[in-house]
């Protein structure tokens, strides 16, 4: 019985270690940024030995990529309010709330830090933001089905149009990002879709 | 005569040194990124002694801020084609060309690197992108005067709407950024303005 039970226990412990190390990685990113992040500090914060970290992650880069992917996979709820304007507004609000949280800002900063020179981080960023957009595409498909948007609306392009002004404020103009930013982004995306500017192909 | 001529000569040399050090700073940013940039390497590349650099710039941060500001101040020509759609398209194309050049990408990367944790760099970024937008505002004012856009169009907001999808592709989705990106950004900004989404106040 012990020989059956042990691997299961080991998997359970492995998951706990994984979650603790991910949380510690994000916390270190929040506090110190990517450049100052070390496996030693992550291990200490997670309460595990650094060899435990190195057993699971080859290096600092794969640790960060894995923690970021895990964080972004779980973050944005996909609304279904029955109307495209309220769906887009909710989606924009969720994005604003996620991206303005300390962890969201640290994740974004890490993706754009000198770490972005590493192909693994650049790939992860592309993949992660792609996934986030793809998960929200049903919102647009439902709006097209309800006849609220032109049938040739490109869901991915529309969602990028929604996200772009939020990221612009966060990263470039450094203006406040709040619910009114979300309202504006939703109105802009809707005007673009209705104006036929986000068509497929 | 010598006592009159000398300060002028000194200013001329000072300007040359300033330009050479700025160029070397940008070149180091392109090659190695902000984290690896040192005053020693910049001085060596510019062909000056590092004390010459330290005499003019207190530290690495002020050197980088100064080089970035100088680069961005000179970069985007403001079009005046007589029609808002071609003006916006030209503006978007110039932005695309600047931002996809090696120096443009290095400047952007530097602004968003771990250096962005420093208040001087964060302030410089805000100021630099603010200036770039403000210089292009006459384009929108002229379109409003010609009756091509609603009278309550907010020039700054419209220009941010134009810029946002370009930065989004560069920084987040990592898709190709080219003339068709510029066309799309211009069409989007125009649809937003005509849809009344970028109004003042």
């Amino acid at each position: 019985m012990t020989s059956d039970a042990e691997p299961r226990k080991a998997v359970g412990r492995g998951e706990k270690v994984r979650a603790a190390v991910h949380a510690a990685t994000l916390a270190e990113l929040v506090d110190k940024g990517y450049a100052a992040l070390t496996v030693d500090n992550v291990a200490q914060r997670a309460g595990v030995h650094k060899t435990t970290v190195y057993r699971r992650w080859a290096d600092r880069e794969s640790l960060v990529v894995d923690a970021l992917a895990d964080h972004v996979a779980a973050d944005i709820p996909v609304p279904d309010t029955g109307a495209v304007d309220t769906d887009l507004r909710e989606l924009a609000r969720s994005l604003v709330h996620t991206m303005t949280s300390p962890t969201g800002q640290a994740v974004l900063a890490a993706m754009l830090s000198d770490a972005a020179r590493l192909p693994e981080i650049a790939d992860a960023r592309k993949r992660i933001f792609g996934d986030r957009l793809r998960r929200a595409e049903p919102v647009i498909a439902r709006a097209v089905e309800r006849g609220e948007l032109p049938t040739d609306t490109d869901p991915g392009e529309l969602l990028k149009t929604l996200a772009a002004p939020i990221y612009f404020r966060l990263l470039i103009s450094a203006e406040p990002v709040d619910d009114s930013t979300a309202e504006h982004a939703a109105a802009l995306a809707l005007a673009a879709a209705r104006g036929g500017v986000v068509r497929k192909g």
Side-chain angles (χ1 to χ4, degrees), chain A residues 78-80 87 137-148:
Chain A
V78 177
D80 187 8
D87 272 4
E137 288 188 3
V139 166
I140 313 305
R142 286 193 288 264
V144 169
E145 275 165 35
R146 285 190 301 260
E148 295 179 295

Side-chain angles (χ1 to χ4, degrees), chain A residues 20-114:
Chain A
V21 171
H22 278 175
T25 305
L26 293 178
E28 285 289 307
L29 281 177
V30 172
D31 286 357
K32 295 173 197 154
Y34 176 77
L37 185 141
T38 65
V39 169
D40 268 22
N41 289 345
V42 168
Q44 200 169 15
R45 190 158 198 153
V48 302
H49 198 270
K50 70 174 175 176
T51 55
T52 307
V53 177
Y54 280 120
R55 208 153 43 225
R56 287 174 172 82
W57 295 276
D59 49 30
R60 188 173 87 119
E61 285 66 41
S62 35
L63 174 59
V64 170
V65 168
D66 203 36
L68 295 180
D70 212 51
H71 167 72
V72 181
D75 69 352
I76 303 274
V78 177
D80 187 8
T81 64
V84 67
D85 53 346
T86 44
D87 272 4
L88 289 179
R89 216 176 301 144
E90 283 215 5
L91 210 48
R93 276 191 193 166
S94 299
L95 187 58
V96 162
H97 293 167
T98 301
M99 300 310 301
T100 54
S101 72
T103 308
Q105 296 209 290
V107 164
L108 190 59
M111 299 253 198
L112 296 168
S113 68
D114 283 332

